[in-house]
Amino acid sequence: MQEPRSVTPPQRQEPPLSLYHLLDPEILANPYPLYHRLRREDPVHWDPFLHAWVVTRYADVITVFQRFSAQRTPTPEQLEAMGMQALTPLARVMVKQMLFLDPPAHTRVRSLAAKAFTPRRVAVLREHIRDIANSLLDRVQAQGYMDVIADLAYPLPAIVTAEMLGVPTEDWQQLTAWSADFAQVLGNFQHNPDRVAQTIRSLNEMTAYFRTAIREIERHPREGLIHAFLTAEIDGDRLSEEEIIANTIITMVGGQETTTNLIGNGVLSLLRHPDQLALLRADLSLIPSAVEELLRYESPSQHTARLAPEDTELGGKKIRKREAVIAVMGAANRDPERFPDPDRLNIRREDNRHVAFAWGSHFCFGAALARIEVQIAIELIVRRLPSLRLEPVPLVWRENLGLRGLKSLPVSWER
């Protein structure tokens, strides 16, 4: 009898390298194996699906922040040439926002905006932020459960951001809804024609809202970003009303989206690592260090785009002038060449210069405020809810590829 021949099983084909895989909910739930593969196999990768370079090493991401152009928003004329004139109102706003400007225009707008985020102003807010966070937890503590996102992570930064802007805090839910619509534009690779009407409607409503707020603050001045924009002057230079509205919008969105996601991602990460949560409970002085590690470990902003200012070389690859480069901060923050044992959550990590808030001239100017909000939120959760646990339900990540956050995070505790 003839012996059966051994059959070699076919090799499993790896899917082609692309950030486009983030559209798969399973990859979006845990993008880090994809990031590791990109960094290992092709750290400066031409992504034919996105028609952009994808950069995943820590050192290269910093180079992109330092040398590449943030001025990447298509002008209304370029949109019309591409047959996308429906997005023209959005372009008119975005080309004035500091996020999409290079020096000297970026320096000018940021210098004026920073007057509302002075260390003194942020420090004064600390106890007030604590009061807001305590009041939100007061509403749910007796019931023994909450959705961290809906009950704390959404309202806390929205209320604080409203106060920083100088608009009524009772408008926080409307501000949150507008921010979510605008964040879809900031965080996703692809243009979604199904969302255009909603995005433009939100933009028009925001513009009208802040125009009215400007008139009110001109009549009855009160402290806040809008008042700072209206009164700030450097060498006789002041912002136009359209610049004020555009940069108030981007500050509102940035102030809410990243902080909301960081609170949710941070609580989830601690609950998934009970040893680190126990360490924090035993020593609350670790809170600042823990928040920096949570920023590194599950960055609320995962990637951002830049344009090559000229023909250049990065990681041995030739990048042509005006080609798009996607700097993946979520990958840089897990680079083993920069962070030992990068996939381990370690709230005592000492050398932790992550890039969650970007780097250089575009470093998030609201970072100090975001850190205080999240430090207070994590401290109060740890202090007030000692038996906190995840509810056994599937976790769903928001369909925003760049701004990483959960749709909800149900938790419970002993009453």
Side-chain angles (χ1 to χ4, degrees):
M1 182 181 291
Q2 195 173 21
E3 290 187 14
R5 287 180 299 172
S6 61
V7 177
T8 303
Q11 292 293 312
R12 180 174 170 270
Q13 285 288 99
E14 287 272 26
L17 276 177
S18 176
L19 274 191
Y20 215 77
H21 294 305
L22 292 174
L23 291 168
D24 180 339
E26 288 188 16
I27 303 294
L28 188 62
N30 181 17
Y32 301 106
L34 171 63
Y35 295 165
H36 283 315
R37 188 181 162 216
L38 277 161
R39 196 175 47 246
R40 183 177 63 249
E41 296 180 20
D42 198 8
V44 180
H45 172 70
W46 175 253
D47 193 320
F49 300 97
L50 299 177
H51 206 70
W53 293 94
V54 175
V55 176
T56 46
R57 285 190 300 216
Y58 181 92
D60 292 338
V61 164
I62 288 177
T63 298
V64 170
F65 279 129
Q66 289 174 330
R67 289 177 32 204
F68 286 59
S69 171
Q71 203 160 327
R72 64 188 188 274
T73 303
T75 64
E77 294 75 22
Q78 289 171 322
L79 285 173
E80 187 170 352
M82 292 186 287
M84 298 170 67
Q85 52 266 39
L87 293 174
T88 296
L90 195 62
R92 287 199 188 104
V93 170
M94 292 175 74
V95 295
K96 294 182 175 70
Q97 292 177 331
M98 69 182 95
L99 188 63
F100 306 107
L101 296 176
D102 290 332
H106 172 265
T107 309
R108 167 181 172 263
V109 176
R110 185 182 172 109
S111 298
L112 294 169
K115 292 180 179 296
F117 282 81
T118 62
R120 182 191 64 80
R121 170 95 169 113
V122 172
V124 165
L125 278 173
R126 181 182 283 271
E127 284 312 306
H128 186 47
I129 293 168
R130 183 179 295 276
D131 291 341
I132 297 169
N134 268 317
S135 69
L136 291 168
L137 288 176
D138 286 344
R139 298 175 190 175
V140 296
Q141 184 156 15
Q143 67 191 26
Y145 65 88
M146 72 170 170
D147 177 352
V148 172
I149 306 300
D151 294 322
L152 181 65
Y154 265 138
L156 177 61
I159 293 167
V160 173
T161 301
E163 294 204 352
M164 285 298 296
L165 297 179
V167 298
T169 55
E170 57 266 26
D171 292 344
W172 74 264
Q173 288 173 303
Q174 180 60 78
L175 297 174
T176 298
W178 286 331
S179 291
D181 284 337
F182 200 87
Q184 287 292 330
V185 178
L186 298 179
N188 287 317
F189 301 131
Q190 72 279 29
H191 163 58
N192 185 343
D194 295 336
R195 292 192 61 88
V196 171
Q198 174 62 34
T199 302
I200 299 301
R201 184 163 55 249
S202 284
L203 180 67
N204 290 336
E205 290 172 359
M206 278 191 285
T207 301
Y209 177 89
F210 288 123
R211 207 179 296 282
T212 301
I214 287 170
R215 299 285 171 269
E216 176 64 22
I217 291 169
E218 283 175 332
R219 286 193 300 269
H220 307 287
R222 59 177 174 270
E223 196 171 13
L225 180 75
I226 295 174
H227 183 258
F229 275 152
L230 283 167
T231 57
E233 184 177 321
I234 296 178
D235 298 329
D237 182 29
R238 302 179 77 158
L239 294 175
S240 70
E241 183 168 289
E242 298 308 312
E243 287 177 311
I244 292 172
I245 291 171
N247 286 285
T248 299
I249 288 173
I250 198 65
T251 303
M252 176 189 74
V253 176
Q256 292 184 72
E257 288 292 320
T258 53
T259 311
T260 292
N261 292 342
L262 180 54
I263 292 171
N265 299 354
V267 173
L268 174 64
S269 297
L270 288 170
L271 288 170
R272 282 177 163 176
H273 297 83
D275 62 318
Q276 298 299 294
L277 180 55
L279 195 60
L280 197 56
R281 288 195 201 285
D283 184 2
L284 289 176
S285 72
L286 290 171
I287 291 283
S289 169
V291 168
E292 296 310 303
E293 177 69 345
L294 295 170
L295 277 158
R296 182 198 70 83
Y297 186 79
E298 280 283 18
S299 303
S301 183
Q302 289 276 298
H303 55 73
T304 191
R306 293 287 189 270
L307 296 180
E310 58 194 7
D311 289 353
T312 189
E313 186 173 301
L314 185 65
K317 303 291 180 70
K318 291 182 179 177
I319 301 175
R320 292 180 180 172
K321 183 178 180 178
R322 302 299 290 172
E323 283 186 330
V325 179
I326 300 173
V328 188
M329 292 96 81
N333 285 338
R334 299 271 191 121
D335 185 346
E337 291 186 11
R338 178 62 185 81
F339 300 102
D341 202 2
D343 292 322
R344 182 169 76 91
L345 185 72
N346 175 14
I347 66 170
R348 282 182 164 157
R349 193 180 295 270
E350 292 180 358
D351 180 10
N352 203 353
R353 293 200 68 188
H354 56 74
V355 290
F357 287 128
W359 192 275
S361 63
H362 277 84
F363 183 83
C364 174
F365 74 87
L369 180 61
R371 282 179 164 123
I372 288 174
E373 290 178 76
V374 179
Q375 287 170 10
I376 289 170
I378 296 292
E379 179 201 333
L380 293 180
I381 286 173
V382 169
R383 191 192 295 276
R384 293 185 56 167
L385 310 175
S387 56
L388 192 69
R389 58 183 175 269
L390 277 173
E391 285 292 280
V393 296
L395 294 173
V396 180
W397 293 88
R398 292 170 60 194
E399 294 156 1
N400 191 316
L401 310 186
L403 299 173
R404 180 167 177 75
L406 293 158
K407 287 188 175 181
S408 66
L409 182 59
V411 297
S412 58
W413 57 89
E414 299 298 329
R415 285 183 290 178

